[in-house]
Amino acid sequence: MELLLKGLYRGFIPFGIMLIISLSSKLQGLTADAKSYFYYGLIFFFLGLASVIYQMNEWSFPKQIIVHYLVMLMTVFPTLLISGFYPLNSFNDLLHVYVQFNKAGIILFTVTYLISYLFSLKTAKDNGDYL
């Protein structure tokens, strides 16, 4: 339950900020911008909520990766499809969005993993531990 609350907290803060920006844009008559900010906020919400998957210490790292990917596939990917960010006139368009989704996921995962690894090395060195 604690992890769920942590995930909701992590998700609602950026979603709330983006929702305020979205509503502000809507009031200014910038409907397309308002819609974009709303969908960005929704994506941030899903990312924040799913971030707690990596705090489930009883799960192996490969299991965490697979579950996180499946959660993103069921939440962020459909959000991208309904957002209107990409044209969806054919199966090839859908495939293009799927490939872009996976490319972005691989890049974000790799960068995040490397940063986390470097911080763990620094923490270990500061504590006198050696990996």
Side-chain angles (χ1 to χ4, degrees):
M1 187 65 166
E2 183 181 328
L3 282 180
L4 176 62
L5 292 175
K6 209 181 265 192
L8 288 170
Y9 180 76
R10 290 177 184 176
F12 272 120
I13 289 175
F15 178 72
I17 293 168
M18 296 306 282
L19 189 59
I20 290 168
I21 295 170
S22 175
L23 292 172
S24 175
S25 295
K26 182 81 168 169
L27 291 173
Q28 295 174 27
L30 305 170
T31 307
D33 288 348
K35 181 180 169 187
S36 294
Y37 287 123
F38 173 76
Y39 284 115
Y40 288 139
L42 199 55
I43 290 168
F44 290 153
F45 172 75
F46 293 137
L47 289 170
L49 185 61
S51 69
V52 297
I53 290 170
Y54 292 104
Q55 291 185 297
M56 301 181 84
N57 297 327
E58 61 274 3
W59 286 5
S60 68
F61 189 56
K63 182 177 181 177
Q64 292 171 340
I65 293 169
I66 292 167
V67 170
H68 187 264
Y69 175 77
L70 292 174
V71 168
M72 294 296 99
L73 194 59
M74 293 185 304
T75 57
V76 173
F77 183 65
T79 303
L80 291 172
L81 296 178
I82 64 171
S83 68
F85 294 159
Y86 300 95
L88 293 174
N89 301 317
S90 68
F91 180 75
N92 283 339
D93 291 340
L94 178 69
L95 189 59
H96 174 73
V97 176
Y98 180 70
V99 169
Q100 293 295 337
F101 167 80
N102 283 296
K103 281 182 184 177
I106 289 169
I107 290 168
L108 291 171
F109 173 79
T110 302
V111 169
T112 305
Y113 179 78
L114 289 174
I115 290 171
S116 175
Y117 179 74
L118 291 174
F119 274 119
S120 69
L121 285 178
K122 183 182 180 325
T123 303
K125 182 179 176 187
D126 291 346
N127 292 337
D129 299 332
Y130 297 101
L131 297 176

